[in-house]
Amino acid sequence: MKVGRKMMNLTINTQIRKDRINPEIYGHFAEHLGRCIYEGIFVGEESDIPNVDGIRLDVLDALKKIRIPVLRWPGGCFAEEYNWRSGIGDRSKRPQRINVHWGGVIEDNSFGTHDFMRLCELLDCKAYINGNMSGGTVREMSDWVEYLTFDGYSTLTALREENGRKNPWKVEYFGVGNENWGAGGNMRPEYYADEYRKYQTVVRNYGDNQIYKVACGPNSDDYYWTDVIMKNAGHCLDGISLHYYTLPTGSWDSKGSDLEFDEKEWYSTLKRTLYMEELVTRHSEIMNRHDPEKRVGLIVDEWGTWYDPHPGTNPGFLYQQNTMRDALVAGINLNIFNQHCDRVHMANIAQTANVLQSIILTDKEKMILTPTYHVFDLYKHHMDGALLGTSLVCDNIEVDGSAIPQIHHSASISDNGIITITICNLSHDKKADLSSALLNYDVSKISGKILSNEMNAHNTFDEPQNVAPSEFSDFSINEDGFSASIPPCSVVLLRLEK
Ligand code: AHR
């Protein structure tokens, strides 16, 4: 049921400039899981697939185009099983280990620290390394940080040089544990906070390298966890993570299909993804009590859709296709993170290639970009902008007895005065006529792009361009600002100039 209203209104006040949108909100996450690292990113130097130092060129180019700001690695759950020493030195001598969380396959450790740091260098992005807290020792974590970043002579830096790298790397972010309330040790928050305090002590700043330390935060709505960590360890952390996945049904036993869904499941998915707003708001409120200056960031380092495994694939590999529904999920979440950029300092969609809500899918030498990739491409103009104060009046859509908005948006302004507005139309079949009042801004030029298609539409290796952005021109400038007609099931980018 819809509440009838003909015109929806968006007011944008360019004098209300809020916090800076940290580029890291547009971050990514690549785990040793299924075909994400191996095949999706790393194919090895001997591969026929064009590569540099074993890293796929097509994937590098795609990631550079969206200006990926930060990459999290090596997990996830994998991080809590990982010993960094397994991934350095002569590849033929590296330990073969069982990837216990993800399909029980053999991990040959051919992609390790040097390869990840090379990947970040090639992408010109920041490194976010996740350390092992429940399965590794304090000494291991200490050694890894020294190996990576110490700028003097030590046995470890000599080993680094022997392995081909003389100079220290820059490591901007370091996670101390992953999901320690679950697979990472099944800890209580009080216990984790104490362990965190111990482990973080060895995450040292060597030379001019400054590490932003991220503590394991809550599983979705575990507000008690956030409270305890902020209270007991808030003084020695820079960020606290939040993990929340969008499951169409809300049930881990039967999550729903990636491609086979109807209108009902379209809306239940969008409703569940909008729940991120409440999570970010409520965790921020708790953080505000302990940290009113907002020094500590909320780091949403795992988010995105999670469906039942794509038919015919290894269930432990978490491969799923990606439709316009995923595009809307991405657009909504990124709008939410923009709107909370005072607290959300970084977010990392799960995951980069071939796993969960991927931006890239590969099949041997072939690579395709998903609808989610295209949303990152449209939204990249928000990076480093100042969030603008806006207010929206729009129709609601009734979903299971509650209302969700038909339109979801965010707006920012860059240093050179260009306004970026991103708008999602959540209705699968109704356009939205939007009038926009621009306060303190005389717009003279608007350009637009749109991603729109049927709700189940997706790209395949045979039809890689089925869902792709195109020019959008269904708008006009008027004396108040502008009006635009936003097609159903779409994500729209508008760029305004004086
Ligand atoms: O992204 C897949 C998995 O989801 C990660 O390894 C883990 O942290 C989370 O449970």
Side-chain angles (χ1 to χ4, degrees), residues 204-273:
R204 300 192 169 91
N205 291 326
Y206 291 113
D208 61 1
N209 190 65
Q210 288 290 317
I211 297 183
Y212 182 110
K213 298 177 199 176
V214 183
C216 166
N219 178 14
S220 53
D221 62 354
D222 186 350
Y223 300 111
Y224 180 68
W225 182 282
T226 303
D227 193 40
V228 172
I229 306 306
M230 286 299 294
K231 186 166 70 197
N232 294 359
H235 64 286
C236 57
L237 53 81
D238 300 301
I240 179 164
S241 68
L242 165 65
H243 289 185
Y244 173 63
Y245 285 97
T246 300
L247 277 52
T249 61
S251 154
W252 284 98
D253 296 334
S254 175
K255 299 180 264 300
S257 152
D258 53 355
L259 295 177
E260 307 293 319
F261 59 89
D262 57 13
E263 192 186 311
K264 194 166 178 298
E265 214 161 274
W266 160 269
Y267 286 116
S268 66
T269 308
L270 299 188
K271 182 177 165 186
R272 287 179 202 287
T273 224

Side-chain angles (χ1 to χ4, degrees), residues 53-233:
D53 298 334
I55 298 165
R56 294 180 73 124
L57 276 178
D58 50 0
V59 170
L60 276 178
D61 287 347
L63 295 177
K64 276 192 215 161
K65 183 166 178 257
I66 55 171
R67 304 204 298 260
I68 168 175
V70 62
L71 187 59
R72 175 175 181 240
W73 173 84
C77 291
F78 181 80
E80 291 286 359
E81 297 286 328
Y82 190 59
N83 183 329
W84 67 274
R85 283 182 188 267
S86 305
I88 56 168
D90 184 346
R91 282 205 174 92
S92 66
K93 299 204 177 102
R94 294 188 189 175
Q96 313 262 318
R97 298 203 183 276
I98 308 166
N99 190 335
V100 288
H101 290 287
W102 307 120
V105 294
I106 292 300
E107 163 66 52
D108 69 3
N109 284 297
S110 52
F111 186 92
T113 297
H114 290 251
D115 309 284
F116 174 67
M117 296 311 294
R118 177 77 177 127
L119 172 60
C120 292
E121 216 163 57
L122 290 166
L123 292 170
D124 193 19
C125 79
K126 293 183 178 166
Y128 177 10
I129 290 192
N130 211 117
N132 181 343
M133 203 183 100
S134 65
T137 62
V138 174
R139 166 55 58 204
E140 274 165 40
M141 192 175 283
S142 172
D143 285 354
W144 201 6
V145 174
E146 181 182 326
Y147 186 88
L148 283 157
T149 61
F150 183 49
D151 54 351
Y153 177 84
S154 72
T155 302
L156 279 168
T157 58
L159 180 63
R160 184 180 74 209
E161 186 168 354
E162 206 179 292
N163 289 333
R165 174 79 186 195
K166 183 169 182 345
N167 294 325
W169 289 284
K170 268 200 130 11
V171 174
E172 286 86 358
Y173 294 95
F174 198 94
V176 181
N178 174 72
E179 298 196 346
N180 302 93
W181 33 260
N186 281 304
M187 300 177 191
R188 291 172 303 108
E190 293 81 2
Y191 180 76
Y192 171 78
D194 285 346
E195 286 291 284
Y196 171 84
R197 289 165 65 133
K198 183 168 72 184
Y199 276 75
Q200 68 79 33
T201 311
V202 302
V203 182
R204 300 192 169 91
N205 291 326
Y206 291 113
D208 61 1
N209 190 65
Q210 288 290 317
I211 297 183
Y212 182 110
K213 298 177 199 176
V214 183
C216 166
N219 178 14
S220 53
D221 62 354
D222 186 350
Y223 300 111
Y224 180 68
W225 182 282
T226 303
D227 193 40
V228 172
I229 306 306
M230 286 299 294
K231 186 166 70 197
N232 294 359

Side-chain angles (χ1 to χ4, degrees), residues 279-341:
L279 291 174
V280 170
T281 304
R282 293 188 60 187
H283 285 294
S284 297
E285 280 164 9
I286 294 165
M287 293 170 77
N288 290 347
R289 288 210 297 273
H290 299 279
D291 172 38
E293 292 83 29
K294 301 192 179 170
R295 182 189 66 80
V296 176
L298 185 59
I299 306 294
V300 192
D301 58 16
E302 288 188 30
W303 67 272
T305 53
W306 194 322
Y307 307 124
D308 292 331
H310 188 74
T313 63
N314 183 333
F317 281 13
L318 310 186
Y319 178 86
Q320 59 192 42
Q321 250 292 1
N322 197 289
T323 66
M324 274 306 298
R325 177 174 60 166
D326 294 86
L328 268 291
V329 166
I332 291 167
N333 278 284
L334 292 171
N335 281 337
I336 293 171
F337 302 148
N338 285 345
Q339 284 161 359
H340 288 272
C341 63

